[in-house]
Amino acid sequence: QVQLVESGGGLVQAGGSLRLSCAASGSIFSINTMGWYRQAPGKQRELVAAITSGGSTAYADSVKGRFTISRDNAKNTVYLRMNSLKPEDTAVYYCNYGDGRRGYWGQGTQVTVSS
């Protein structure tokens, strides 16, 4: 089992910034991918950004140039730095861990961007 604990969500004005953190614990494989997904009301959950244990990253087109994903493998923690936030970024953000055999989700953290 892997446990994921997210933090850093909140309310911010458009144009502002937030940083999300997700700390993983438990049976963590050294080779894994961690990422952030989001789900807005009435919409499907979508990938925001992901990063492998080797440091390769991927981003949704809608956040490229504004969001940066990073990780600290020693702390089993992944971060999402969100700049130039827009009202359409409002959603519950979920941390995800996957290692090819197992996948786990965090409980989610709310990000609300006011216009």
Side-chain angles (χ1 to χ4, degrees):
Q1 292 283 334
V2 174
Q3 295 78 41
L4 303 172
V5 178
E6 299 131 334
S7 60
L11 173 64
V12 64
Q13 289 188 333
S17 299
L18 283 174
R19 190 180 81 154
L20 305 182
S21 300
C22 173
S25 62
S27 179
I28 298 166
F29 289 5
S30 58
I31 298 175
N32 62 70
T33 298
M34 294 184 72
W36 291 94
Y37 289 70
R38 66 187 180 188
Q39 188 166 19
K43 294 188 177 181
Q44 289 188 331
R45 191 172 297 189
E46 62 176 1
L47 174 68
V48 176
I51 184 168
T52 68
S53 47
S56 297
T57 59
Y59 294 92
D61 288 343
S62 60
V63 307
K64 283 181 180 176
R66 300 189 297 123
F67 292 9
T68 303
I69 191 169
S70 61
R71 65 188 290 165
D72 184 334
N73 287 335
K75 295 181 179 179
N76 292 318
T77 299
V78 63
Y79 306 95
L80 185 68
R81 178 67 179 180
M82 305 184 292
N83 295 329
S84 302
L85 282 161
K86 304 175 181 179
E88 50 264 44
D89 294 318
T90 295
V92 178
Y93 284 69
Y94 296 91
C95 180
N96 177 268
Y97 165 97
D99 58 29
R101 295 183 180 182
R102 309 166 299 165
Y104 297 91
W105 294 95
Q107 79 283 0
T109 185
Q110 177 70 46
V111 172
T112 303
V113 184
S114 63
S115 57

